[in-house]
């Protein structure tokens, strides 16, 4: 249910902006209430709770544009705020591409109950949060045993609501919840090394999270996997990137699909639409309509009615992420300006089965530092992980690095495991790549 | 609005009608269930960005943020809440939430609040909010014109002028009241060059806690020269072979290495919890005697400088490594109490929405005695790093990585061809032991866009380094050495 108060305030801003001379205006008003409880050494270390609000306006006047936001939503303050935005816009140069979207793109909004709200949200009591944090900590400590130096357990949840209105007829309203639970454990390794491992999950509803016991135990297991890490010789090996880590590498590829990068000629994917840029395994589906998922939505940041799209299909680049403004600058049809839920279809085999057949390789369970060249596609990024042979983990590794070029790297993708990481908007399974240079000694 | 003297107290009182009686009432509420101390952090921040793209200054973004964070501390436990409404009702409700961390009998805050006297390391003659937008436009246009005039292979120029004016007021239950006005700003240029069908991109920024008058036409020209040269050199750059080799770190922004290799590991919260590889190293030799590393917040107009920290502790210079010996952690009030030492002025927070934790300010290695050219001459085959980005560290192991955005090969003691697109990996304690030469040319990062992230909070920091030699680090690339 939309708050009438929020909608009325947005309408007030629209009206005030128009009266002050704006040709067009977009206003969004967002509120968030959150609670966080952190436990360490069997007691709450942090208890944090607050509510925030933010009013954002985009002003279009005589072909000029300005954007402003504020947390002060008193009507008198907003009048001054709007006047300032209009004055700022008037001084700037005209931009013929800047306007509110054509309202035709607002139409066709799906009638899907996305279930972005936890039906049990009201049951998230202080007692429940504290008991969850306690259980996370205790479970991790028990599994960590005498190796554990420190365990921190974290429980977070929030409730968000947002109202968006534009002067050319768009209306949007969303209410959603998220919840998050994590455990981090630091263990004593050889010498002064104290590796920290963690496990976490995030979802719309509490019932979608794994049990606190499971999260705590996995955090301890993952810390143990980091023990005794050292670097090995530089060589080309098959690698597996664990599901929850894939995004860190994929980010470089996705950045190059963005309309701004393309229009500003900062993309190694410029001119690659319709071309093969990866193996047949490499498929990316942007699906905004998955019920209960973290990135689900019925309209995007421009107000466009959302739709499911194949962005990459069997290695062929099918679409870019292009919002309204960049589409006008590029002279192409818009798609959507940003990612909703991104799915790389999982495979059929488990990680363990794949490792058994792969011979010698590295399972990457974390990244550190690194970057990519947006024009050439070359990337270089530090890794942590485990060397395995014949399905058995033989040695934890650290202080190592992988490097490649996105335009070649995704062609080396040979298999996806059956373990999609669903606690993210980007639901990636573990991925297997062949012949990657891993730098060490 | 009042004058631009940051030392002048009274902004929040005159603008929002808050007063000592109200502070006392709120702090008493925050301590109504006990606790060691409580504090209030008032913030009013105005941020502006003006952007040039495709030859036009055609958009601007502004943000106003107002709020009060309320903290109750009991031992190492923190209760925290904040409100964006400066009404008594909202402030009292937030204080009641913060108070829940304790469960003892009530305590009372001090009856009077004494204004903290602090030096001003970034005075403003004119408030940034009083600079009209029209004064900023010529700078942007000049960036565009200069970049295009320097090379005919430049195909895109972007420029951003960002300024932020943060006013804060801290009121503590032990009777300190401290007000500050923290400017932050930078001019950033980004270019794309195209040559023989290939494209390369570079960006650079200059700034800090500057007056607006810092941004002059000659400064714009310097910025344009730097960013264009950075892009052009990449066309000739190669990726070096992967594996271990000596690394010479050039002066200035490469100091991010210290920030990652040692700075984070010296933040006392990591150490009191046993999470840092340096947790048992205080008083021990960690480097050669010619290695001295500091973290300080007092260099005029440097991005990481603060007049006092976000807990009301005066800024200072803290020696982390002195003559090769690890000497101090970076403390907030909680860790200082834990270690029974004086706080070092490192309790910082991103905004009123966050509680303070130990954070760095300006972190750098002091100059040594070697000549920079002798450092290079000492290397048969290695890497000369000129600029880095995206540093990150695992504090428990001390393992870190950073991406080399500009650098060159060293062959037979001479700097040769440019390199690009590599990551360098290392381990903090090992790297410190492996610093075998330090030159006499200390330089600090001159930008205003640098930031450090920790526990979901970003704060402005700076860093620096003289030219120095690390005898071995891991270079990440696509070709093996000798292949």
């Amino acid at each position: 249910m939309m708050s009438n108060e929020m909608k009325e305030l947005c309408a007030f801003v629209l009206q005030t902006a128009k009266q002050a001379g704006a040709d067009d205006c977009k206003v969004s008003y967002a509120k968030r209430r959150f609670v966080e409880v952190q436990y360490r050494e069997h007691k709450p270390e942090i208890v944090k709770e607050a509510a925030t609000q933010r009013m954002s306006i985009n002003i279009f006047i005589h072909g000029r544009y300005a954007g402003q936001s504020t947390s002060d939503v008193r009507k008198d303050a907003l009048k001054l705020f709007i006047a300032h935005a209009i004055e700022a816009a008037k001084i700037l140069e005209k931009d013929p591409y800047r306007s509110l979207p054509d309202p035709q793109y607002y139409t066709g909004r799906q009638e899907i109950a996305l279930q972005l709200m936890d039906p049990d949200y009201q049951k998230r009591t202080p007692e429940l949060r504290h008991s969850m944090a306690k259980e996370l900590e205790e479970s991790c400590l028990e599994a960590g045993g005498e190796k554990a130096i420190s365990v921190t357990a974290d429980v977070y949840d929030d409730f968000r609501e947002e109202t968006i209105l534009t002067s050319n007829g768009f209306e949007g309203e969303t209410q959603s919840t998220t919840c998050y639970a994590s455990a981090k454990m630091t263990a004593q390794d050889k010498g002064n090394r104290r590796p920290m491992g963690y496990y976490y999950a995030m979802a719309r509803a509490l019932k979608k999270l794994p049990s606190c016991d499971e999260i705590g135990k996995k955090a301890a297991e993952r810390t143990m996997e980091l023990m005794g890490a050292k670097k090995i010789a530089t060589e080309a090996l098959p690698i597996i990137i664990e599901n929850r880590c894939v995004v860190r590498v994929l980010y470089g590829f996705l950045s190059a699909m963005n309309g701004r990068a393309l229009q500003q000629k900062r993309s190694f994917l410029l001119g690659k639409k319709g071309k093969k840029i990866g193996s047949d395994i490499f498929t990316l589906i942007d699906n905004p309509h998955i019920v209960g998922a973290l990135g689900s939505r019925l309209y995007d940041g421009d107000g466009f009615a959302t739709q499911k799209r194949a962005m990459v299909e069997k290695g062929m680049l099918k679409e870019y992420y292009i919002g309204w403004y960049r589409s006008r600058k590029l002279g192409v049809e818009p798609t959507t300006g940003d990612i909703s839920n991104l799915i790389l279809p999982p495979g059929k085999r488990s990680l363990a089965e794949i490792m058994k057949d792969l011979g010698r390789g590295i399972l990457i369970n974390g990244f550190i530092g690194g970057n990519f060249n947006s024009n050439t596609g070359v990337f270089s990024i530090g890794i942590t992980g485990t060397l395995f042979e014949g399905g058995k983990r033989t040695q934890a590794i650290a202080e190592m690095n992988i490097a490649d070029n996105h335009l070649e790297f995704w062609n080396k993708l040979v298999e996806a495991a059956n373990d999609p990481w669903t606690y993210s908007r980007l639901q990636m399974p573990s991925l297997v790549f062949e012949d990657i240079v891993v730098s060490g000694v | 609005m009042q004058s631009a003297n940051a030392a002048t107290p009274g902004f929040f009182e005159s603008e929002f009608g808050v007063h000592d009686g109200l502070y006392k009432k709120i702090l008493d509420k925050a301590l109504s269930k006990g606790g060691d101390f409580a504090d209030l952090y008032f913030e009013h921040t105005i941020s502006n960005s003006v952007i040039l793209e495709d030859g036009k200054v055609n958009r601007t973004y502004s943000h106003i943020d107002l709020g009060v964070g309320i903290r109750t501390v009991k031992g190492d436990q923190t209760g925290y809440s904040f409100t964006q409404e400066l009404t008594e009702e909202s402030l009292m409700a937030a204080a009641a939430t913060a108070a829940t961390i304790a469960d003892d009998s009530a305590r009372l805050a001090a009856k009077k609040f004494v204004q903290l006297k602090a030096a001003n390391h970034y005075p403003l003659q004119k408030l940034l909010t009083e600079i009209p937008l029209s004064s900023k436009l010529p700078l942007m246009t000049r960036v565009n014109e200069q970049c295009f005039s320097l090379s005919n292979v430049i195909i895109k120029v972007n420029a951003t002028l960002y300024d932020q004016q943060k006013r804060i007021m801290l009121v503590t239950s032990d009777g300190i009241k401290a007000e500050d006005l923290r400017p932050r700003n930078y001019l950033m240029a980004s270019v794309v060059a195209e040559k023989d069908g290939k494209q390369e991109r570079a960006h650079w920024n200059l700034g800090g806690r500057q007056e607006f008058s810092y941004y002059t036409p000659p400064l714009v020209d310097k910025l344009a020269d730097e960013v264009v040269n950075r892009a052009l050199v990449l066309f000739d750059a190669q990726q070096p072979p992967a594996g271990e080799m000596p690394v010479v770190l050039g002066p200035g922004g490469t100091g991010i290495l210290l920030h990652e290799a040692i700075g984070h590991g010296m933040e006392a919260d990591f150490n009191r919890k046993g999470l840092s590889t340096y947790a048992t190293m205080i008083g021990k030799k960690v480097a050669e005697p010619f290695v001295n590393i500091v973290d300080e917040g007092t260099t005029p107009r440097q991005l990481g400088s603060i007049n006092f920290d976000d807990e009301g502790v005066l800024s200072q210079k803290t020696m982390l490594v002195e003559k090769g010996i690890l000497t101090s952690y970076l403390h907030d009030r909680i860790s200082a109490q834990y270690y029974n030492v004086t706080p070092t002025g490192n309790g910082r927070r991103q905004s009123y929405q966050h509680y303070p934790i130990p954070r760095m300010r300006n972190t750098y290695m002091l100059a040594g005695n070697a000549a920079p050219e002798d450092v290079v001459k000492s290397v048969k085959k290695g890497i000369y790093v000129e600029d880095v980005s995206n540093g990150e560290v695992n504090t428990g192991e001390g393992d870190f990585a950073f991406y080399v955005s500009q650098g060159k090969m060293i062959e037979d003691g001479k700097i040769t061809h440019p390199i690009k697109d590599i990551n360098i990996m290392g381990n903090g304690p090992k790297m410190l032991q492996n610093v075998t030469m330090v030159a006499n040319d200390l330089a600090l990062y001159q930008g205003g866009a640098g930031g450090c992230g920790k526990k979901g909070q970003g704060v402005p920091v700076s860093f620096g380094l003289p030219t120095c030699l690390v005898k071995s680090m891991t270079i990440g690339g696509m070709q093996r050495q000798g292949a």
Side-chain angles (χ1 to χ4, degrees):
Chain A
M1 293 289 288
M2 182 178 180
S3 157
N4 282 333
E5 185 190 343
M6 291 177 73
K7 190 171 182 180
E8 282 168 13
L9 198 56
C10 286
F12 166 80
V13 170
L14 276 191
Q15 187 184 18
T16 306
K18 293 281 273 188
Q19 284 170 352
D23 298 325
D24 267 315
C25 180
K26 175 182 178 183
V27 55
S28 91
Y29 182 23
K31 291 185 175 186
R32 176 175 70 117
R33 174 151 208 95
F34 71 91
V35 184
E36 182 177 14
V37 177
Q38 248 180 52
Y39 264 61
R40 197 176 74 88
E41 295 184 341
H42 311 289
K43 63 180 191 289
E45 182 177 45
I46 304 289
V47 175
K48 186 175 174 184
E49 180 174 357
T52 66
Q53 60 182 0
R54 185 175 174 119
M55 177 76 77
S56 303
I57 61 170
N58 299 299
I59 296 284
F60 303 84
I61 179 167
H62 309 329
R64 297 173 171 88
Y65 170 79
Q68 296 215 34
S69 59
T70 179
S71 57
D72 186 353
V73 299
R74 293 169 300 165
K75 283 189 174 176
D76 285 348
L78 286 172
K79 283 181 185 171
L80 286 173
F81 176 73
I82 292 162
H84 182 75
I86 287 176
E87 286 310 306
K90 281 179 179 174
I91 294 169
L92 299 177
E93 294 179 74
K94 283 188 177 181
D95 182 351
Y97 305 106
R98 188 68 76 170
S99 70
L100 284 175
D102 184 330
Q104 68 161 317
Y105 293 100
Y106 300 155
T107 60
R109 199 184 294 179
Q110 300 275 318
E111 298 280 337
I112 302 171
L114 290 176
Q115 297 180 23
L116 305 182
M117 279 289 293
D118 184 349
D120 295 329
Y121 176 67
Q122 298 302 333
K123 294 178 187 171
R124 296 181 192 178
T125 61
E127 292 75 20
L128 175 65
R129 294 175 182 116
H130 281 263
S131 73
M132 285 175 67
K134 274 183 199 170
E135 189 182 351
L136 281 163
E137 185 191 8
E138 282 162 15
S139 163
C140 188
L141 278 170
E142 189 182 330
E146 60 185 20
K147 289 286 184 188
I149 296 175
S150 176
V151 168
T152 300
D154 196 354
V155 172
Y156 166 92
D157 62 79
D158 68 16
F159 165 65
R160 296 167 191 252
E161 51 188 336
E162 184 182 42
T163 299
I164 302 174
L165 297 182
T166 70
S167 56
N168 70 344
F170 176 82
E171 289 189 14
E173 51 191 273
T174 305
Q175 289 190 322
S176 63
T177 54
T178 54
C179 52
Y180 168 92
S182 78
K184 290 188 288 192
M185 183 179 118
T186 297
Q188 183 61 60
D189 202 353
K190 289 174 187 166
N192 288 308
R193 290 183 72 86
R194 295 160 180 242
M196 190 274 285
Y198 63 95
Y199 196 79
Y200 70 94
M202 184 161 69
R204 291 280 178 208
L206 270 177
K207 282 182 180 168
K208 296 276 185 74
L209 294 180
S211 72
C212 291
D213 183 57
E214 183 182 341
I215 292 172
K217 281 192 169 73
K218 283 192 172 172
E221 281 170 22
R222 299 182 69 89
T223 308
M224 295 305 182
E225 288 171 3
L226 301 172
M227 303 283 275
K230 60 184 180 184
K231 54 185 166 184
I232 61 171
T234 301
E235 59 182 310
L237 285 169
I239 62 165
I240 304 173
I241 304 178
E242 198 178 35
N243 52 10
R244 69 177 190 175
C245 304
V246 168
V247 171
R248 184 80 174 255
V249 171
L250 183 63
Y251 171 77
F253 184 88
L254 296 174
S255 298
M257 295 174 77
N258 175 274
R260 181 169 188 230
L262 296 161
Q263 191 269 325
Q264 287 296 305
K265 297 188 184 295
R266 298 175 186 170
S267 169
F268 58 85
L269 292 177
L270 196 62
K272 295 285 193 291
K273 186 175 171 182
K275 295 184 177 166
K276 185 97 167 154
I277 42 77
S279 74
D280 286 351
I281 307 289
F282 190 37
T283 290
L284 294 173
I285 310 290
D286 190 285
N287 186 353
H289 300 149
I290 302 172
V291 173
L294 288 164
S296 296
R297 61 194 186 190
L298 297 178
Y299 54 88
D300 69 8
D302 281 315
F304 293 4
T306 52
Q307 51 185 287
K308 183 177 173 181
R309 286 186 173 86
M311 306 304 293
V312 176
E313 194 168 27
K314 293 187 175 179
M316 182 182 287
L317 184 64
K318 302 283 284 187
E319 294 285 1
Y320 297 119
Y321 284 100
I322 300 178
W324 173 248
Y325 176 64
R326 295 295 161 184
S327 77
R328 298 189 80 199
K329 282 195 125 176
L330 286 162
V332 300
E333 265 296 296
T335 53
T336 182
D338 54 0
I339 296 163
S340 61
N341 301 298
L342 195 66
I343 312 296
L344 194 155
K348 293 181 178 168
R349 299 199 299 164
S350 70
L351 196 55
E353 288 173 297
I354 293 170
M355 285 168 68
K356 199 172 176 181
D357 286 350
L358 209 54
R360 186 165 181 272
I362 287 179
L363 172 63
I364 294 173
N365 57 25
F367 288 107
I368 177 171
N371 210 337
F372 69 100
N373 183 322
S374 58
N375 283 96
T376 64
V378 171
F379 67 89
S380 185
I381 183 166
I383 59 168
T384 59
T386 306
L387 183 68
F388 62 85
E389 288 185 70
K392 291 188 178 170
R393 299 175 188 228
T394 56
Q395 170 68 56
I397 57 121
E399 280 190 76
M400 298 193 70
N401 195 85
I402 60 166
D404 215 300
N405 185 316
H406 280 290
L407 290 170
E408 296 166 16
F409 183 68
W410 297 98
N411 283 294
K412 300 174 186 176
L413 174 63
V414 292
E415 187 167 1
N418 63 358
D419 59 351
W421 180 254
T422 56
Y423 305 117
S424 166
R425 288 188 307 131
L426 282 67
Q427 300 185 9
M428 298 292 125
S430 298
L431 299 179
V432 184
F433 296 83
E434 280 184 332
D435 196 30
I436 304 297
V437 175
V438 186
S439 319
V441 177
Chain B
M1 291 286 171
Q2 62 185 49
S3 81
N5 184 351
T8 304
F11 171 78
F12 289 93
E13 288 162 3
S14 63
E15 291 291 322
F16 302 102
V18 291
H19 50 84
D20 283 7
L22 182 61
Y23 311 148
K24 162 80 173 152
K25 193 173 177 182
I26 301 162
L27 287 165
D28 283 348
K29 186 70 177 177
L31 293 172
S32 60
K33 292 177 181 291
D36 302 331
F37 68 92
D39 54 28
L40 315 177
Y41 182 89
F42 291 77
E43 180 188 338
H44 181 261
T45 297
I46 299 175
S47 313
N48 297 292
S49 301
V50 191
I51 297 162
L52 176 143
E53 183 183 288
D54 293 328
K56 290 184 175 180
V57 187
N58 58 15
R59 62 184 182 274
T60 174
Y61 298 102
S62 300
H63 180 61
I64 301 169
D65 213 356
L66 170 67
V68 183
I70 301 176
R71 175 174 71 147
T72 302
V73 174
K74 180 190 173 192
D76 60 355
Q77 298 172 272
T78 299
Y80 200 78
S81 186
F82 61 84
T83 175
Q84 293 171 320
E85 291 178 27
L86 273 63
T87 61
E88 181 172 332
E89 185 186 1
S90 291
L91 289 162
M92 290 295 278
T97 301
T100 58
I101 195 68
D103 54 1
D104 209 339
S105 50
R107 297 185 61 178
L108 294 176
K111 290 178 181 170
K112 288 185 178 177
F113 302 100
V114 178
Q115 193 77 37
L116 182 73
K117 290 179 182 169
N120 193 349
H121 306 301
Y122 31 78
L124 287 181
Q125 293 301 311
K126 191 166 189 177
L127 290 169
L128 297 172
T129 47
E130 290 175 354
I131 308 298
L133 182 57
S134 56
S135 301
K136 301 175 181 176
L137 304 188
L139 288 170
M140 316 291 287
T141 309
R142 191 176 179 103
V143 171
N144 191 55
E145 290 169 355
Q146 277 296 109
C147 289
F148 277 118
S149 72
L150 286 167
S151 168
N152 59 9
V153 301
I154 299 296
I155 58 169
K156 289 281 184 186
V157 175
N158 278 251
T160 299
L161 181 61
Y162 174 83
D163 64 73
Q164 182 189 79
Q165 182 171 287
K166 177 184 278 194
R167 286 184 183 273
I168 64 152
M169 178 174 71
L170 188 78
V171 187
T172 70
S173 61
D174 41 12
I176 294 172
K177 186 157 71 171
E179 290 182 61
D180 202 3
L181 187 154
R182 296 174 179 169
R184 179 186 181 184
N185 37 64
Y186 60 81
L187 179 60
M188 178 176 284
S190 168
V191 298
V192 178
E194 189 171 70
K195 197 173 167 183
D196 301 328
K198 291 181 179 173
Q199 291 154 359
E200 290 288 359
R201 177 193 174 203
H203 60 91
W204 189 243
N205 83 93
L206 291 167
R209 298 196 183 280
Q210 307 288 350
E211 296 268 16
F212 183 70
S213 57
Y214 168 78
Y215 297 98
T216 59
L219 182 111
V220 170
D221 297 351
K222 179 181 165 186
L223 177 70
D225 272 347
E226 182 72 35
V227 73
V228 168
N229 286 332
R230 280 171 170 260
L232 297 184
V233 76
L234 294 175
F235 288 109
D236 301 320
Q238 302 163 20
Q239 198 177 58
E244 288 187 346
M245 63 175 79
V247 174
V248 173
L249 298 155
T254 54
I256 197 169
L257 176 106
L258 290 181
H259 178 99
E260 301 299 345
I262 181 168
H264 280 297
M266 297 300 285
E267 290 165 342
D269 51 344
F270 290 133
N271 288 286
R272 72 177 168 81
K273 298 176 189 176
L275 310 181
S276 167
T277 188
Y278 296 104
T280 59
M281 290 191 193
I282 285 285
K284 294 183 179 171
K285 181 175 185 288
V286 294
E288 295 299 325
F290 49 80
V291 173
N292 296 283
I293 300 170
V294 302
D295 179 86
E296 54 85 1
T298 58
T299 298
R301 305 207 178 278
Q302 199 67 28
L303 185 59
S305 293
I306 45 176
N307 294 331
F308 54 85
D309 74 2
D310 297 326
E311 300 184 298
V313 177
L314 289 174
S315 199
Q316 59 171 259
K317 184 175 183 177
T318 307
M319 291 299 296
L320 300 178
V321 175
E322 191 163 12
K323 295 180 180 174
I325 307 292
L326 207 61
T327 51
S328 174
Y329 296 135
L330 300 173
H331 291 286
D332 62 3
R333 286 185 63 162
I334 291 175
S335 68
Q337 189 171 17
Y338 176 88
Y339 285 103
N340 196 24
V341 297
T342 306
T344 55
N346 291 91
R348 303 182 65 190
R349 54 180 125 195
Q350 177 177 308
S351 74
Y352 65 91
Q353 299 192 16
H354 303 270
Y355 50 86
I357 51 178
R359 305 300 297 267
M360 282 172 269
R361 296 163 300 201
N362 307 306
T363 310
Y364 50 88
M365 183 183 290
L366 300 183
N369 294 322
E373 54 272 25
D374 288 342
V375 178
V376 174
K377 274 183 198 167
S378 71
V379 176
K380 182 156 181 62
K381 184 174 184 183
I383 301 289
Y384 182 82
V385 178
E386 294 170 305
D387 194 31
V388 297
S389 64
N390 282 34
E392 192 175 352
V393 64
N394 291 333
T395 51
E397 298 98 321
D399 297 339
F400 67 87
F402 57 92
Y403 191 77
V404 177
S405 50
Q406 296 274 309
K408 301 216 168 52
M409 282 300 293
I410 302 174
E411 291 161 308
D412 294 324
K414 290 179 184 165
I415 289 176
T416 57
H417 64 80
I419 59 169
K420 64 178 179 180
D421 299 336
I422 60 165
N423 208 34
I424 291 189
M425 304 289 298
N427 173 272
K430 275 197 280 186
M431 187 281 295
L432 278 180
Q433 288 167 6
N434 283 341
V435 174
T436 53
M437 290 181 84
V438 178
N440 56 9
D441 57 347
L442 169 65
L444 299 185
Y445 170 70
Q446 295 301 308
C452 167
K454 174 182 171 184
K455 292 187 176 176
Q457 297 194 46
V459 296
V461 296
S462 191
F463 28 78
L465 201 68
T467 299
C468 65
L469 170 64
V470 182
K471 70 180 180 187
S472 179
M473 296 178 87
T474 301
I475 312 299
M478 288 186 279
Q479 289 97 36
R480 279 171 285 178
Q481 290 183 47

